[in-house]
Amino acid sequence: MKLNLIRPLAFFDLETTGINVGSDRIVEIAILKAMPDGTEQIKTLRVHPGMPIPLQSSLIHGIYDEHIADAPKFAEVAQELAAFIGDADLAGYNSNRFDIPVLLEEFLRAGVDFDMADRRFVDVQNIFHQMEQRTLRAAYKFYCNKDIINAHSAEADITATYHVLLAQLERYEGADFEDKQGKISQPVINDIDALHAFTNMNKPVDFAGRMVYNDQGEEVFNFGKHKNKTVESVFDIEPSYYAWMKQGDFPLYTKKKLEEIWTRWNKKKDLNRVPKAPGSTAPPAHNQKPSGNPVRTAQQQPRKEKPAENVTSDMLEQLKMKFGK
């Protein structure tokens, strides 16, 4: 089928340093420009992001720092890309929520006025999700070829959910699944442990997804300025972040799990403190000799009296000379 186009439609995809629209950068951009006459033009460029590519991102898209070491920065190719896209409408997969916002951020940083007025945006993912809805009713129809009677009543919904799972186990028996790292497995099997692992791939700590487990089993923040940092490492550098979250508008269970990590972190700190040797005392203050008495501050330290000395004839002579007697 040939697209019915009045003007070009530029399909584009970005590989980036991460998924934060405001702070992450493009490392590769590919554009397929479909023309009204049915021809296609393709441009692919790798871009130096001006920052290291996190390993987690490189494992997904396969682009490492050495691959873009000599690549131009986005500002150097921004005009070229804008000219290639021209007045084309834009299309992509999840492009409305990610690719377009990231591209606009890069153009703005480069000082290129990429005019969005009168452009049309086609997000293929939205077509997929809206036409193949992910509701329970749609799942029951898809897997069981039945309509739910009394939909949205608790008993009807939970019965439908049960039968959907049974149908999924039959449909996907022996079916391959490829994860983001390219690993092939057959995860949908009649085993609760396996189903738990497959349906919790993000490994949430608190179910709200504010904290997740990384590959090392450590809790990491999944939002905000400390995203992808371990919770304990954030406590090391900014312990006030704990108080901010405890006082903030976060779910109670998130706060509960945060408090558990905080308590564990504090216990580790206590254990890591160097214990004093038995019988040791604090270092002497103000160059004074240590004593067995408790250490006092400068204000609390009693004034030491000089021991009495025997009066000698020399001392009497000195007094006479001082006072003139």
Side-chain angles (χ1 to χ4, degrees), residues 11-268:
F11 293 82
F12 76 103
D13 184 67
L14 306 177
E15 302 300 343
T16 63
T17 58
I19 58 174
N20 188 305
V21 170
S23 60
D24 280 305
R25 301 290 190 269
I26 295 172
V27 296
E28 186 176 65
I29 179 170
I31 306 169
L32 185 155
K33 191 173 178 182
M35 307 301 289
D37 63 4
T39 60
E40 300 168 0
Q41 301 174 15
I42 296 179
K43 179 182 285 292
T44 301
L45 290 174
R46 284 191 173 173
V47 179
H48 195 295
M51 61 185 291
I53 304 174
L55 178 60
Q56 185 177 10
S57 299
S58 293
L59 290 172
I60 294 173
H61 51 54
I63 303 172
Y64 293 81
D65 289 333
E66 58 266 28
H67 296 148
I68 46 83
D70 299 322
K73 293 187 176 180
F74 188 87
E76 299 173 46
V77 296
Q79 290 286 2
E80 176 187 349
L81 290 171
F84 181 77
I85 296 172
D87 66 347
D89 294 322
L90 302 176
Y93 193 87
N94 194 33
S95 50
N96 287 357
R97 290 197 305 170
F98 184 73
D99 298 84
I100 289 176
V102 171
L103 184 64
L104 292 178
E105 289 289 306
E106 292 280 31
F107 276 133
L108 285 170
R109 290 189 201 100
V112 173
D113 184 15
F114 186 73
D115 189 8
M116 296 294 287
D118 299 325
R119 291 187 195 271
R120 299 293 182 263
F121 319 116
V122 179
D123 192 326
V124 176
Q125 185 189 66
N126 287 345
I127 297 174
F128 174 41
H129 285 179
Q130 293 186 76
M131 293 305 294
E132 303 294 338
Q133 294 184 23
R134 294 304 187 250
T135 63
L136 176 58
R137 180 193 291 272
Y140 193 57
K141 183 69 175 179
F142 180 78
Y143 288 107
C144 304
N145 198 27
K146 297 178 183 178
D147 292 316
I148 301 177
I149 307 301
N150 297 324
H152 302 303
S153 72
E155 184 174 335
D157 286 356
I158 202 63
T159 301
T161 302
Y162 170 58
H163 286 104
V164 165
L165 176 59
L166 295 178
Q168 287 175 328
L169 292 174
E170 290 183 7
R171 178 181 288 264
Y172 298 124
E173 183 180 2
D176 287 344
F177 170 78
E178 182 176 354
D179 65 16
K180 292 180 179 179
Q181 285 72 43
K183 182 181 178 182
I184 305 293
S185 63
Q186 296 177 349
V188 184
I189 60 175
N190 200 350
D191 178 86
I192 297 303
D193 286 341
L195 295 174
H196 165 80
F198 186 56
T199 56
N200 290 274
M201 295 182 70
N202 289 332
K203 302 177 183 177
V205 173
D206 60 333
F207 291 102
R210 295 296 187 175
M211 296 176 288
V212 297
Y213 292 104
N214 63 15
D215 292 339
Q216 289 72 46
E218 302 166 313
E219 302 95 341
V220 301
F221 285 117
N222 196 34
F223 76 102
K225 65 179 182 179
H226 293 307
K227 185 178 175 68
N228 296 326
K229 296 178 184 176
T230 66
V231 177
E232 291 195 16
S233 70
V234 172
F235 289 164
D236 287 337
I237 61 173
E238 190 180 347
S240 60
Y241 204 69
Y242 167 77
W244 175 77
M245 286 192 66
K246 288 287 285 184
Q247 296 167 9
D249 186 21
F250 293 95
L252 292 177
Y253 191 72
T254 297
K255 295 181 179 181
K256 178 179 182 295
K257 300 304 291 184
L258 185 75
E259 187 170 352
E260 290 176 5
I261 302 169
W262 175 262
T263 301
R264 185 184 68 209
W265 175 76
N266 275 292
K267 286 181 179 178
K268 286 182 181 178

